[in-house]
Amino acid sequence: MKKNRLVDVGEDFYYEKLDNGLEIYMIPKETFTETYVTFTTRFGSINTEFVPNGKTEMIRVHDGIAHFLEHKMFESEDGMDPFDFYSKNGASCNASTTFNRTTYLFLGTGHLKENVNFLLDYVQSIYLTDENVEKEKGIIEQELNMYKDDPFWVLYEGILANSFKENNVRKSIGGEVKDIMAITKDELLECYNTFYNPANMFIVATGNFNPDELVNIIKENQKSKDFKRISDIKIKEIHEPDSVVKEYEEKQLSVTEPKIAVAFKISKEKIKIKSEFKVNKYLSLMAEALFGSTSMFFSQSRKDNILIDCGIEIFNTDTHYLLCLFIDSNTPNKIIDKVDEVIRELLITEEDFERRKKVTIANYISSFDNIVSTNGIVIGNVMSYDKYIDDQIEQTKALSYKEFKVFIKSLDFSNKSSLVIKPVDESN
Amino acid sequence: MEYRKVSMQSYTLHMIKTDNFKKAFIEVNFRKPIEKEDITYRNMLFDVLLDSNANYKDNRSLAIEAEKNYDLSINSSNTRLGNYINSSYKMVALNEKYTEKGSFEKSFDFFMDILFNPNVKRGEFNLESFDIVKRTLESGIKGLKDNKRKYSVVRMLEIMDKNSPISLRGVGYSEDLDAITPSSLYNYYNDMLNKDLIDVFVLGDIDFQKTITMFKDKFKINTIKKPKKELTCIHTSTRALPQKLIEFDDVTQAKLSIGCRLNNLTLFESKYVMVIYNMLLGEGSDSKFFKDIREKKSLCYYISSSYTRIDNILVITSGIDKGKFNETVESVKLSMKEMVKGKFTDEEVEIAKNNVISTLESITDSPNRIINSYYSHEITGLDDLETRMEQYKKVTREDIIAVSKKVKIDTIYLLSGGEKDEKK
């Protein structure tokens, strides 16, 4: 087991990889009461074309299947489902599916061995019947309908659909109702047998536990299980163009005021800096300094009455970054023009840059006060970099304004997509 | 963890010493009996105070100063606590171990500067800040309708008891906003400082004596006041049969909200038995609602109940297909009848009790929950942590059956997709 002291935050980080390929990342916090353990498979909504484990032909499964499978993992043959089990131990459990992963988790006090074993056992076994697959369809249909009534969600999915031509991030994580209705037991099993293999999965534990004890529990548990060792999973390669699908679109929805998304699609190929961590930090520093709450854009636009609020998100796909702004404004055209102006000028002073570095470090340190946040940061790191960056404070401190200036000037902002959601015109 | 409470005459200072966190927390709570216009005034006031002040003339310079102080976070929230409105101003700062010596006091000074040194001239708040904030709030007030799930609950509570504070909208009201001026807001601000009841919490790796001195020197409040009104809501409605209302909006999924009155609960019931009842009925994913209505009948993705002791109500919410309205309501009623008939096992009761107790045990992992726990103890009559754990253990199956007979459905509301409004 590898152990590193995180000097700047006064915590320890542990790492272990088992023979079956399962990786374990740990940041214990023994002065806390609760333990938070997540178990993640690198299988998300974008993985719909792949070669199943043990086969040779590429297959295409229905959209939304990763999320459907997540729901079905909670089914158990003997009637003791995860909700019952964890509740009995005074713990809670949940799961979530994103574009590129599915994560199962529990949060609880004590009962470490039982809780961990149950997590491993229910995720590493599956109980599907035609009936329980059918039953789930009504529940998922209601879940998808719930999101359709959320204007932000519509904006979010809309801008991704208008920005990406090939990458499946253009599609809803849960799929469409018609996809869900067509999903079968066999299709679910094919996905399960391919992606729910320890070599494609990792565990992150934070909070109250002893790392040696935890690793022993997991090792002991895995010893008794035999997984067909897979070679690397073959997933269909995509060729995503640099251009966006739609440069501009207006939609009408039941909203009280316009909601706007502006996205810049930036190709990774043209970026010269090797370290992806560094690129991510530079991009988020840039976005915050240009459009965040301390930016001239934010302050002046509010004074000029063309902006109510602005949120920032940077999507990271294999081939492109998508810098997205989610804006509330009653004057969509004026605010989009303003965004263009800011992007043309890219005015960020050294003072802004250094201050934002300080904020980045402070936020990172703060996140250790919450075992759920700490865990989330580790998961994010493993998904992006295949490891936990245990010297992120050092690396952040070392970011240079000079390099940053050259970097942002080199970025190509010409591939842009804007989506405006307007209130339904009552006069029609 | 060590707790100390000190009366500072015009306010109470609660100090919690713990080295479990990398941050320190200060929370200043102002409260008064709620009137409708208080909500909009206070939402406005908080945003104006945080937009600029006497030393930092606009939002940008103020936000930059906070970032310079190691991303010092200052925020506020207004919540209704039963018959009161509570305005909480919070400061969260990194411990000096991770910053530099003197940074905590510097942050504290900045926080006090925001509270007591507003951007005011000749008895009026700065007009530029005032206008920016007003536009944002206006958008928030209108935007309530965009959040269909929340809007459904708000509408249900308005219909359930329009004379009770539960019917008030937390986002505020356009007509009240229009009536606020930079000078009326300044008068309101002075009233809040001088007339509200105040409890201050400080949590972190602190020194008690130093903290007291810091507040004596810098927390400039010196008027003494007494509570005027009971905190807990009492409902006057005596509706024999539930009222039902369907309203229409542009929604894909209909949003169901059900409000229940709780008749004549004893103190033990309201503090303990109802919490366990609520867990068994609809709080978690092993509740009756989740098992019977979601898992067995596939009627919904989410359905849950929540109990608010000081409001004296139980609220049930779900998102459903509008065609399944009656079936869902009947299923809810059935689950509630089963509670009355005692159709739950002793094991389920034990599990629910253990769950509540383990939630209490983990309070120490979260600064906000620690502060909330002490504050609730202080003002809502909640027992201290140890007593609570002991009392939950005493709840019996008979207690739960008895309390389930006191839970009465009062209002059933559906926000449905479709054309016109109609009453049923």
Side-chain angles (χ1 to χ4, degrees), chain B residues 2 6 17 28 56 60 66 89 102 107 117 148 154 166 169 180 195 203 211 214 264 310 318 324 345 371 399 402 411:
Chain B
E2 200 184 333
V6 184
K17 184 175 169 57
V28 181
Y56 301 94
R60 181 162 189 252
Y89 290 76
S107 298
N117 203 4
K148 311 294 181 195
V154 167
I166 62 164
R169 296 185 174 194
I180 300 175
K195 295 180 183 163
L203 180 149
T211 307
M214 221 164 74
N264 307 314
I310 45 177
S318 183
K324 303 277 173 67
T345 64
I371 292 174
D399 291 336
T411 302

Side-chain angles (χ1 to χ4, degrees), chain B residues 173-218:
Chain B
Y173 297 85
S174 293
E175 70 268 20
D176 292 342
L177 187 65
D178 289 340
I180 300 175
T181 65
S183 78
S184 76
L185 187 66
Y186 185 61
N187 291 337
Y188 190 93
Y189 162 73
N190 283 317
D191 273 358
M192 183 181 91
L193 294 186
N194 293 321
K195 295 180 183 163
D196 270 29
L197 296 161
I198 301 169
D199 280 271
V200 179
F201 290 82
V202 185
L203 180 149
D205 199 359
I206 52 169
D207 178 295
F208 287 145
Q209 205 44 53
K210 264 192 195 162
T211 307
I212 294 172
T213 312
M214 221 164 74
F215 271 85
K216 268 190 184 149
D217 290 350
K218 290 168 182 167

Side-chain angles (χ1 to χ4, degrees), chain B residues 159 239 241-247 256-257 325-327 329-330 333 409-414 422-424:
Chain B
I159 297 155
R239 220 165 269 128
L241 286 171
Q243 56 172 342
K244 206 188 253 187
L245 179 71
I246 303 179
E247 289 183 315
L256 172 68
S257 296
F325 176 45
N326 287 329
E327 192 184 347
V329 170
E330 287 314 309
K333 286 181 181 165
I409 294 185
D410 182 282
T411 302
I412 301 166
Y413 175 85
L414 188 75
E422 74 179 43
K423 275 187 187 171
K424 278 202 172 176

